Amino acid sequence: MTLSSSPLAAQFSRFIGRHSESGADGLVASTAKLLVVCQQRGDSCLDLQDWGGKPWPESVAMGVIPDVAAWVAALRASDCVALVGSRAPMVLDGSKLYLFRYWRDEQSVAQAILARLQQRPSLHVAQLQQGLQRLFPSPDDGVNWQRLAAALAVSRGFAVISGGPGTGKTTSLIKLLSLLLEQGDLRIALAAPTGKAAARMVESIRQSRQGLDLSASLEDGALGEAFTIHRLLGYSPRGWRHDANNPLALDCLVVDEASMVSLPLMARLVRALPQYCRLILLGDRDQLASVEAGSVLGDITGHGDALAYDPEVAQTLAAWTGDDVAQIPTRVDAPPIANAIALLRTSYRFGAESGIGRLAGLVNRGASDGAIALLRGGGVPDLHWHCDGLGGLLDQVADRYAEYLAQSGVASALAAFERMRVLCAVRQGKVGVEGVNAAIASRLQARNLLATGALVHGTPVMVTVNSYELGLFNGDVGLVWRDERARLRVWFRHSDQSLHQIPLQLLPRHDLAWAMTVHQAQGSEFDQVVMVLPQQLGEHTPVSRELLYTAITRTRHHFTIFADLSMLRQSIQQRVQRSSGLATALGWGA
């Protein structure tokens, strides 16, 4: 198996070797190196069951790894490895080996969720029923899944609302917040993992609340702001303001785009919550996991397992909502965590005839033949598979981007630019973000639409760090544009649609933004998305169905993909599988 090492992995291995009886070239040191390599690719732990008896990756060691029993015995005998309840640089929990920090983080998240699963907040049932009927229409038959999700979340200390694009997560959220405030005077905060996601959360709530019969508290302007998780916890270079010793003064926290939250960040968040504080997570469980280690939302929701409720829970939800209990999936052996998860199943954006919706569903199910047939068949106006060379596609992309450069004002230019984006799987190379951005810039310069230079009039940029002083956050996209005095400024749009400008010299660390990675596009939507896949599978090529599904679901109206047939097939068939013990700790697979 090809698996690249890193300086950090090598350094940790040497450290363990100096403190291990078997030395720098021994089994424990090699295991330590493999553990860090796996953690850096996104795993929370090293599952010995997946590696025992197989050859070592060439970048780690030579020869063959011992069988699991012998491997476990050797690790248990080392002073560098602790068992559960003790402390050492590494922790062995069953057949799973962790860096101590990640084992502690996983335990914190599991314990916080399990404790909240036992909580049943006081509930005015009659008021809840009235609110559910007022805010949610009854379907002709079956179940209103948004209404069921709201009923479930109001009644529990922990809940997840998961759904794909257009299934109404934001609509459900604004109604849920109204129902919560009708239950009592609760201190509620909204948060998201990035500034872009937080701003979009507020914008979506503002748009969704129009025409709804909401709680007076909500209408009075409560919940007018969403925080990044870092800002909510008071992060600064000196540390974190809120933790277990100084918890947040909240009764309920709602976290949007939860699939983007890493295990360490989720652990830090739950430690800073009072024990009585409700926690509600929103997100799409089928999207890409966080850039950092862990797949928290996927672990919590069972990694695509069919969701069903305990029959008694289903009966209660049906009584509150008036929905048909026979249409609510049930399992007599459903784990308790399943009773806290609501899956929104109806897409209001993509109808039955939508090529985008059909393609997303096929990719999500791993149906590569069906997805390829849909793309290859033609006649689907919102889908296009480009196979004639990247140069021709980028010529078309430059044609579309020329539209924003033709605008006279920055407001209309920003609006035109935000209609389309190129998404890439990788950063480097001809088909990576850096190569595609350079190619687009070159084409616009050749047409005299863009001057040569680093940051010239019309250059789109994406901020890659949070700058609270400037009101800019990681993921914010702006345009370099001349003001009325011909001075170059960088212009950004706030969530309330107002424009914000800063001098060019104050622009924080940034990337060009004609193209971005799929990870960077999470939390955003565009009228048109162009997806560029690598042409061959390499050691650092993170293709997967989750990557492709996330790219597809960033678009509202049109999706174009540039991909080789074999790479497209591999992308759909390959799933991201991160090693973790969180799902098991929460009862999945038990």
Side-chain angles (χ1 to χ4, degrees):
M1 178 181 295
T2 302
L3 202 65
S4 60
S5 185
S6 70
L8 179 61
Q11 184 176 356
F12 184 66
S13 177
R14 287 193 294 269
F15 168 79
I16 293 298
R18 288 196 299 269
H19 295 83
S20 173
E21 302 80 358
S22 56
D25 297 324
L27 176 60
V28 178
S30 297
T31 302
K33 190 174 186 179
L34 179 59
L35 172 59
V36 174
V37 167
C38 289
Q39 181 266 310
Q40 289 182 316
R41 72 172 185 178
D43 294 332
S44 301
C45 63
L46 172 66
D47 193 335
L48 308 185
Q49 297 285 354
D50 295 336
W51 292 86
K54 296 179 180 179
W56 288 101
E58 291 182 4
S59 59
V60 175
M62 302 301 293
V64 176
I65 300 171
D67 62 60
V68 174
W71 200 4
V72 167
L75 293 173
R76 289 172 66 97
S78 173
D79 291 338
C80 296
V81 180
L83 301 181
V84 173
S86 302
R87 185 160 185 164
M90 297 180 285
V91 175
L92 185 62
D93 190 346
S95 65
K96 293 180 171 63
L97 183 69
Y98 296 80
L99 294 173
F100 178 82
R101 170 191 169 189
Y102 287 92
W103 177 83
R104 182 190 57 193
D105 286 347
E106 191 172 278
Q107 293 296 306
S108 293
V109 174
Q111 290 168 9
I113 293 174
L114 291 172
R116 285 171 172 79
L117 290 180
Q118 303 299 317
Q119 296 175 5
R120 292 295 181 270
S122 60
L123 199 63
H124 303 293
V125 174
Q127 192 167 27
L128 173 60
Q129 289 176 308
Q130 292 171 8
L132 290 168
Q133 297 307 316
R134 184 182 81 249
L135 293 172
F136 296 91
S138 295
D140 295 333
D141 54 27
V143 176
N144 182 323
W145 297 107
Q146 293 182 17
R147 182 167 60 190
L148 184 141
L152 183 146
V154 169
S155 64
R156 295 179 175 271
F158 174 79
V160 177
I161 300 177
S162 176
T167 53
K169 290 190 293 295
T170 303
T171 302
S172 300
L173 172 59
I174 188 67
K175 296 177 181 180
L176 165 61
L177 293 173
S178 183
L179 293 171
L180 284 168
L181 289 170
E182 290 169 10
Q183 290 290 314
D185 186 16
L186 299 177
R187 297 167 297 178
I188 304 175
L190 308 178
T194 67
K196 180 74 172 178
R200 188 165 174 270
M201 187 182 190
V202 173
E203 180 182 359
S204 299
I205 288 175
R206 184 177 292 112
Q207 293 172 349
S208 299
R209 69 193 300 170
Q210 303 301 318
L212 295 177
D213 184 10
L214 300 172
S215 160
S217 298
L218 201 55
E219 288 288 5
D220 288 341
L223 309 173
E225 184 178 10
F227 300 88
T228 65
I229 296 175
H230 284 75
R231 185 181 174 199
L232 180 72
L233 297 179
Y235 172 76
S236 75
R238 296 183 299 275
W240 302 79
R241 181 183 309 120
H242 293 289
D243 54 21
N245 296 318
N246 182 29
L248 293 157
L250 292 177
D251 300 304
C252 178
L253 175 64
V254 180
V255 180
D256 197 12
E257 297 291 349
S259 63
M260 299 169 64
V261 183
S262 67
L263 174 64
L265 187 57
M266 184 63 77
R268 191 169 290 279
L269 180 63
V270 297
R271 290 187 197 116
L273 294 180
Q275 292 183 356
Y276 56 80
C277 181
R278 307 179 194 220
L279 178 60
I280 301 171
L281 306 180
L282 277 73
D284 185 346
R285 66 174 184 163
D286 298 316
Q287 280 192 29
L288 280 169
S290 61
V291 176
E292 298 178 65
S295 54
V296 176
L297 188 65
D299 286 340
I300 293 171
T301 57
H303 290 289
D305 282 5
L307 293 175
Y309 300 106
D310 180 274
E312 185 176 336
V313 172
Q315 288 283 355
T316 301
L317 291 172
W320 291 344
T321 61
D323 290 320
D324 181 3
V325 68
Q327 300 297 314
I328 301 175
T330 60
R331 264 181 59 189
V332 293
D333 59 345
I337 186 66
N339 295 320
I341 301 168
L343 183 62
L344 303 182
R345 303 161 190 258
T346 304
S347 176
Y348 300 95
R349 181 186 304 168
F350 303 127
E353 299 305 314
S354 165
I356 295 170
R358 289 157 57 197
L359 180 63
L362 290 165
V363 168
N364 200 20
R365 296 192 297 272
S368 55
D369 289 341
I372 290 168
L374 179 63
L375 287 166
R376 181 178 276 163
V380 184
D382 54 353
L383 295 176
H384 178 63
W385 185 2
H386 188 93
C387 306
D388 299 330
L390 183 60
L393 177 60
L394 293 182
D395 287 339
Q396 297 174 26
V397 167
D399 289 341
R400 283 298 309 274
Y401 278 141
E403 297 174 10
Y404 86 84
L405 290 168
Q407 303 298 313
S408 57
V410 66
S412 56
L414 266 170
F417 176 73
E418 284 298 323
R419 294 186 189 118
M420 186 185 76
R421 195 71 83 250
V422 180
L423 304 183
C424 302
V426 295
R427 292 195 60 85
Q428 284 81 35
K430 180 181 177 182
V431 296
V433 169
E434 295 174 0
V436 171
N437 271 320
I440 293 171
S442 176
R443 282 164 169 77
L444 294 174
Q445 290 163 358
R447 302 179 193 190
N448 294 319
L449 298 172
L450 192 74
T452 58
L455 291 174
V456 297
H457 177 84
T459 305
V461 295
M462 181 175 62
V463 175
T464 57
V465 294
N466 292 331
S467 176
Y468 297 107
E469 298 83 1
L470 295 172
L472 295 175
F473 304 99
N474 183 14
D476 284 350
V477 173
L479 278 180
V480 178
W481 207 264
R482 296 191 184 277
D483 64 9
E484 66 280 356
R485 296 169 57 184
R487 300 173 303 180
L488 284 178
R489 293 288 190 267
V490 191
W491 301 75
F492 298 86
R493 193 185 301 279
H494 286 310
S495 60
D496 63 0
Q497 300 304 302
S498 64
L499 294 182
H500 169 219
Q501 60 162 306
I502 63 170
L504 197 62
Q505 60 268 27
L506 294 184
L507 181 64
R509 193 167 70 238
H510 60 276
D511 291 332
L512 296 178
W514 289 291
M516 60 179 60
T517 66
V518 178
H519 270 292
Q520 290 172 323
Q522 284 185 274
S524 300
E525 291 179 354
F526 311 97
D527 289 344
Q528 181 178 356
V529 164
V530 176
M531 173 67 175
V532 178
L533 280 181
Q535 295 305 284
Q536 58 184 1
L537 189 65
E539 179 180 347
H540 302 290
T541 309
V543 295
S544 65
R545 75 177 63 164
E546 291 87 353
L547 180 95
L548 190 53
Y549 170 84
T550 303
I552 295 167
T553 55
R554 296 310 89 208
T555 188
R556 301 184 188 95
H557 302 304
H558 194 274
F559 180 75
T560 297
I561 187 166
F562 172 76
D564 174 83
L565 173 61
S566 62
M567 179 59 70
L568 179 59
R569 188 181 298 278
Q570 287 181 73
S571 298
I572 298 170
Q573 293 177 346
Q574 184 165 308
R575 297 201 66 177
V576 174
Q577 294 180 318
R578 292 184 169 181
S579 294
S580 164
L582 181 58
T584 302
L586 294 175
W588 290 109

